[in-house]
């Protein structure tokens, strides 16, 4: 594009000002990338949720246990294909910040209900043979440099062992799993419910929540209602939700992340709009005589308008590209907290879209002013 | 030779609130192809206004402006812009160069509107700079050039697209005598040797002597014309 050198020279006319404007846009887009990345990672979890599954928790709260005796009753509900359970274990490794999502399961039930979870058959057998066996997600194994055969302690913040009154639970790593449909879940661990239930000081015979697979996802709502009806007015009333609803309400516990992210970004871009808009306006005001000369030379009103818009587009796109690049470099550092490794492409695409909108919004008024500029008045300084 | 500029009963009025000011009164003017006209007159007599009408920067309130065979008072904004790019080169008192562009890039600006390739644009700009004697300053920014040199760059920019007509509004108004003489000599060469039609507004009688013809304006009307050389 032959106008590029002209655009480029114009953009860098006031170097310091351009650099500061550029930096503020870069920072805004860095923030945008990181926050939207986190948001998207959480939403990804919701979207990856399986529609074939229901999560049944206590009506009272997510952490309230349910009796294992409910199992045959739920199993008998028409449309239920399989049932498994899991429990909060509240584990960390060595230090409190090393949270590990480890849950006691009945491995056969669990694999039936969660078939996307892949474990080598001999390792499943090893888990069944080994009371203190632990199947570790591939990412978790890598994170701490564990190997199959290692004996490691996990500290439970909830459960104390009967025999020694200790909260450090020893485990023997007997295998690994790969959650093929959502690798962000590869940082958990599974172990034998039997070990857990026998060893803990209280709560025997209870589980944390049920995972129920249904034959027909279209029937999910009816089946959920039927399960809840089953335990109505019992001491252990339940709340059944699709895995998706569950993921969503689980997220809500931390606050409406989506809303918070949008609110912060809204404020940031609102400020940016005025900052950049003002800079652009100032730049155009200073250049009125030059714009008049361009028109004198035969540049049409439209061409001058496009040049001003293109300048603002150039500035916003360069800054957005830098900001998003930084964000995609920094984003993997959040892996431990949110599980996602790569800044989702959707964030980059929407970032580019926003950069264009920002350019049009901030360049619009100056461009309009440039278009309306009357040559003879501008030349005479009127 | 035919007339390159014909003004017929041209009036220009400005409205300020309820007050109407007539700046040009029913003015007739013919300028032949290849002429070099100096337009003189007291400040506020309407010289710039007239020049802007001839150069297609402004439109008359009444009357016809026919330049290079076109009724430019009838052209739309975009068509008028195209017409200017094709037919008119402008030189101003304060040079009006782009401060962030080199002399070369300034001269190339009008060529961006043509279909010339980048190499041709560069070559033509260098030729124009050579004509004004500034080929060795092609890479310099306007701030690195003297006033006279900046005006030469402006003349090169006005020339580069080979216009039918050069329109200069007090081109030496900001220059000392010697530099002014150099610039005026250059304009004279462009007129005599390159056949460019030139219309120049000036306050300086010495400058006007470089022209073939002097026109005098007073209060929005041409008073008399006299032939020089
Ligand atoms: N846009 C405008 N609105 C109102 N009046 C105007 C406008 N443009 C020019 N005038 C008036 O028209 C008259 C002629 O102006 P013009 O600029 O043509 O004078 P000039 O002969 O070039 O003067 P100078 O020698 O000082 O450059 C002046 O009185 C000026 O105030
Ligand atoms: Mg004037």
């Amino acid at each position: 594009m032959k106008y590029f050198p002209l655009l480029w020279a114009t953009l860098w006319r006031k170097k310091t000002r351009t650099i500061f404007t550029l930096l503020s846009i870069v920072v805004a887009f860095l923030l945008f990338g990181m926050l939207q990345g986190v948001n998207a990672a959480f939403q990804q979890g919701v979207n990856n949720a399986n529609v074939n599954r229901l999560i049944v928790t206590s009506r009272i709260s997510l952490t309230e246990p349910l009796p294992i005796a409910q199992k045959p009753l739920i199993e008998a509900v028409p449309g239920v294909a399989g049932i498994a359970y899991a429990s909060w274990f509240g584990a960390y490794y060595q230090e409190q910040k090393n949270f590990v999502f480890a849950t006691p399961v009945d491995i056969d039930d669990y694999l039936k209900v969660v078939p996307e979870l892949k474990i080598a058959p001999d390792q499943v057998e090893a888990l069944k043979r080994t009371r203190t066996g632990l199947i570790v997600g591939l990412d978790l194994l890598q994170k701490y440099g564990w190997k199959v055969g290692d004996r490691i302690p996990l500290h439970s913040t909830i459960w104390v062992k009967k025999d020694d009154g200790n909260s450090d639970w020893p485990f023997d790593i007997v295998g690994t799993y790969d959650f093929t449909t959502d690798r962000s879940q590869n940082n958990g661990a599974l172990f034998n419910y039997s070990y857990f239930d026998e060893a803990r000081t209280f709560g025997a015979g209870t589980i944390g929540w049920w995972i129920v697979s249904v034959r027909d996802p279209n029937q999910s709502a009816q089946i959920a209602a039927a399960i809840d009806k089953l335990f109505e007015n019992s001491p252990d009333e339940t709340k059944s939700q699709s895995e998706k609803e569950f993921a969503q309400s689980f997220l809500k516990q931390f606050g409406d992340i989506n809303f918070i992210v949008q609110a912060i970004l809204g404020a940031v871009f609102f400020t940016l709009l005025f900052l950049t808009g003002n800079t652009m306006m100032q730049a155009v005001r200073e250049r009125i005589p030059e714009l008049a000369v361009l028109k004198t030379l035969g540049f049409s009103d439209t061409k001058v308008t496009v040049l001003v818009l293109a300048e603002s587009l150039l500035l916003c796109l360069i800054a957005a590209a830098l900001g998003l690049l930084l964000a995609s470099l920094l984003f993997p550092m959040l892996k431990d907290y949110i599980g996602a490794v790569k800044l989702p492409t959707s964030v980059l695409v929407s970032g580019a879209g926003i950069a264009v909108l920002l350019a049009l919004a901030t360049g619009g008024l100056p461009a309009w002013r440039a278009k309306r500029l009357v040559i003879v008045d501008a030349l005479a300084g009127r | 030779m035919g007339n390159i500029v014909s003004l017929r009963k041209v009036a220009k009025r400005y409205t300020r609130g309820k007050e109407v000011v007539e700046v040009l009164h029913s003015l007739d003017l013919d300028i032949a192809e290849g002429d070099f006209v100096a337009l003189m007159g007291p400040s506020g007599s309407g010289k710039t206004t007239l020049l802007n009408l001839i150069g297609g920067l402004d439109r008359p309130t009444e009357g016809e402006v026919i330049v290079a065979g076109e009724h430019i008072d009838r052209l739309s904004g975009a068509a008028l812009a195209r017409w200017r790019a094709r037919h008119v080169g402008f030189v101003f008192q304060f040079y009006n160069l782009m401060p962030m562009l080199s002399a070369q890039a300034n001269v190339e600006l009008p060529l961006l509107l043509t279909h010339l390739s980048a190499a041709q644009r560069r070559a033509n700009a260098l030729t124009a700079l050579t004509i004004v004697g500034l080929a060795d300053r092609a890479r310099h920014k306007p701030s690195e050039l003297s006033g006279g040199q900046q005006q030469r760059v402006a003349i090169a920019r006005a020339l580069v697209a080979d216009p039918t007509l050069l329109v200069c509004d007090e081109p030496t108004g900001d220059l000392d005598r010697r530099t002014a003489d150099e610039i005026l000599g250059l304009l004279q060469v462009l007129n005599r040797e390159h056949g460019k039609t030139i219309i120049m507004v000036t306050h300086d009688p010495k400058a006007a002597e470089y022209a073939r013809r002097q026109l005098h304006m007073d209060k929005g009307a041409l008073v008399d014309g006299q032939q020089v050389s």
Side-chain angles (χ1 to χ4, degrees):
Chain A
M1 152 133 174
K2 60 182 171 183
Y3 295 102
F4 187 80
L6 174 63
L7 271 178
W8 190 250
T10 313
L11 184 62
W12 291 101
R13 215 186 129 154
K14 285 241 155 71
K15 278 205 183 58
T16 330
R17 185 174 64 197
T18 305
I19 285 172
F20 276 113
T21 311
L22 197 80
L23 280 181
S24 56
I25 307 178
V26 168
V27 170
F29 275 90
L30 171 60
L31 199 65
F32 171 88
M34 297 301 271
L35 287 179
Q36 287 292 28
V38 170
N39 192 15
F42 281 132
Q43 294 307 319
Q44 190 69 27
V46 173
N47 292 338
N48 281 346
N50 192 306
V51 285
N52 288 312
R53 282 193 292 263
L54 297 174
I55 301 291
V56 181
T57 61
S58 162
R59 171 136 298 224
I60 302 162
S61 97
L62 216 62
T63 51
E64 189 68 18
L66 291 169
I68 202 161
Q70 287 178 338
K71 188 181 176 193
L73 300 172
I74 296 174
E75 235 169 353
V77 171
V80 168
I83 179 165
Y85 51 76
S87 282
W88 301 111
F89 188 61
Y92 63 78
Y93 177 62
Q94 289 175 338
E95 277 178 77
Q96 200 136 13
K97 69 175 177 59
N98 298 335
F99 174 78
V100 174
F101 187 77
T103 179
V105 296
D106 177 310
I107 195 64
D108 287 333
D109 285 353
Y110 197 81
L111 285 175
K112 228 175 279 159
V113 175
V114 189
E116 343 43 316
L117 193 84
K118 300 296 181 214
I119 308 173
D122 58 317
Q123 296 183 336
V124 174
E125 288 313 310
L127 177 66
K128 287 197 229 166
R129 273 198 316 272
T130 319
R131 190 171 112 98
T132 55
L134 187 73
I135 298 279
V136 178
L138 283 173
D139 289 353
L140 183 63
L141 189 87
Q142 204 184 7
K143 181 174 174 189
Y144 295 118
W146 296 337
K147 299 181 302 297
V148 172
D150 282 359
R151 162 160 278 232
I152 55 134
L154 287 179
H155 184 94
S156 172
T157 52
I158 310 172
W159 308 105
V160 179
K161 290 211 312 298
K162 256 196 307 228
D163 51 357
D164 55 3
N166 198 328
S167 293
D168 287 320
W169 294 60
F171 288 102
D172 293 292
I173 298 176
V174 294
T176 60
Y177 76 76
D178 185 8
F179 203 98
T180 48
T181 54
D182 180 7
R183 297 237 143 78
S184 72
Q185 298 207 30
N186 276 350
N187 47 22
L190 301 171
F191 59 98
N192 289 314
Y193 177 81
S194 50
Y195 170 40
F196 170 65
D197 201 45
E198 288 156 23
R200 59 181 166 170
T201 44
F202 62 93
T206 63
I207 56 98
W209 63 92
W210 299 108
I211 308 163
V212 176
S213 61
V214 297
R215 284 202 183 87
D216 175 5
N218 294 324
Q219 298 285 305
S220 287
Q222 287 93 312
I223 297 170
I227 294 172
D228 291 346
K229 185 126 185 41
L230 213 52
F231 305 109
E232 217 172 47
N233 298 322
S234 84
D236 299 298
E237 291 197 353
T238 58
K239 180 174 171 186
S240 305
Q241 295 169 291
S242 73
E243 205 170 66
K244 194 166 193 143
E245 290 167 331
F246 178 77
Q248 233 144 19
S249 61
F250 186 77
L251 271 187
K252 285 254 161 66
Q253 285 190 306
F254 306 109
D256 192 336
I257 290 173
N258 192 37
F259 175 77
I260 296 168
V261 165
Q262 304 310 337
I264 295 175
L265 290 177
V268 168
F269 278 93
F270 193 69
T271 315
L272 198 62
L273 203 64
F274 284 99
L275 191 82
T276 316
N278 189 45
T279 311
M280 278 302 298
M281 201 69 206
Q282 216 176 321
V284 163
R285 212 175 297 133
E286 283 165 11
R287 278 213 312 271
I288 290 220
E290 291 164 33
L291 293 171
V293 168
L294 284 182
K295 286 194 179 187
T296 302
L297 296 180
F299 284 67
S300 65
D301 291 354
T302 315
K303 209 154 232 159
V304 171
T305 312
V306 170
L307 279 176
V308 172
L309 274 182
E311 184 186 338
S312 127
L313 204 61
L314 190 63
L315 177 74
C316 291
L317 284 180
I318 290 175
L322 285 175
L324 292 172
L325 179 74
L326 265 176
S328 52
L329 291 178
L330 294 179
F331 191 70
M333 286 168 41
L334 297 180
K335 182 171 188 283
D336 289 351
Y337 304 99
I338 55 173
V341 198
K342 222 175 109 234
L343 192 61
T345 318
S346 64
V347 173
L348 298 179
V349 171
S350 59
I354 286 181
V356 172
L357 286 182
L358 183 71
L360 294 181
T362 56
L365 197 59
W368 180 77
R369 195 160 165 182
K371 182 187 172 68
R372 296 251 327 214
L373 186 135
V374 177
I375 302 175
V376 290
D377 289 345
L379 286 177
R382 270 189 288 266
Chain B
M1 265 190 276
N3 286 333
I4 207 135
V5 177
S6 296
L7 271 65
R8 295 285 169 263
K9 298 207 174 338
V10 166
K12 181 73 184 174
R13 285 187 285 272
Y14 291 105
T15 320
R16 252 177 285 174
K18 284 204 173 139
E19 199 189 343
V20 179
V21 188
E22 186 162 282
V23 179
L24 297 179
H25 320 291
S26 188
L27 200 143
D28 290 303
L29 172 65
D30 289 303
I31 294 172
E33 196 175 347
D35 209 350
F36 183 175
V37 175
L39 189 57
M40 303 190 65
S43 189
S45 56
K47 303 183 297 295
T48 297
T49 308
L50 177 60
L51 205 64
N52 287 344
L53 289 178
I54 293 172
L57 293 179
D58 203 359
R59 283 171 219 275
T61 316
E62 259 171 39
E64 294 177 29
V65 181
I66 303 141
V67 184
E70 189 90 51
H71 267 89
I72 60 169
D73 49 295
R74 296 178 196 164
L75 292 180
S76 74
L80 192 58
R82 263 197 307 279
W83 178 87
R84 278 197 305 275
R86 171 68 199 84
H87 289 291
V88 193
F90 293 88
V91 179
F92 302 100
Q93 180 176 0
F94 298 109
Y95 332 127
N96 282 335
L97 299 174
M98 300 276 166
M100 66 289 179
L101 296 181
S102 67
Q104 154 108 35
N106 265 289
V107 175
E108 269 191 55
L109 275 179
L111 299 181
L112 290 178
L113 299 169
T114 66
H115 294 295
L116 297 181
S117 70
Q120 282 173 306
R121 289 201 302 272
R122 202 171 317 122
N124 290 10
L126 268 174
T127 308
L129 281 171
T130 308
I131 292 175
V132 301
L134 271 186
D136 55 334
R137 299 295 157 91
R139 306 245 131 258
H140 290 231
K141 294 264 170 70
S143 58
E144 298 155 0
L145 297 170
S146 73
Q149 289 172 329
Q150 289 187 56
Q151 195 61 300
R152 284 164 186 270
V153 174
I155 292 172
R157 182 180 67 186
L159 280 180
V160 73
D162 193 26
T164 318
L165 182 71
L166 277 187
V167 160
C168 316
D169 198 349
E170 301 186 42
T172 58
D174 202 43
L175 302 174
D176 61 41
R177 180 80 264 151
R178 236 195 78 208
T179 318
D181 283 332
E182 282 171 22
I183 294 292
L184 290 160
L186 175 61
L187 289 177
Q188 205 166 42
V189 167
L190 292 173
N191 173 249
R192 294 230 170 113
E193 284 165 31
H194 300 267
K196 293 286 160 210
T197 309
I198 301 178
I199 306 167
M200 171 180 77
V201 167
T202 182
H203 280 288
D204 174 10
K206 282 226 174 82
E209 282 170 16
Y210 283 84
R212 293 178 194 264
R213 185 152 77 111
Q214 296 185 8
L215 291 173
H216 291 268
M217 275 194 91
D218 195 20
K219 301 193 183 83
L222 286 165
V223 276
D224 62 318
Q226 75 184 90
Q227 214 70 32
V228 180
S229 75

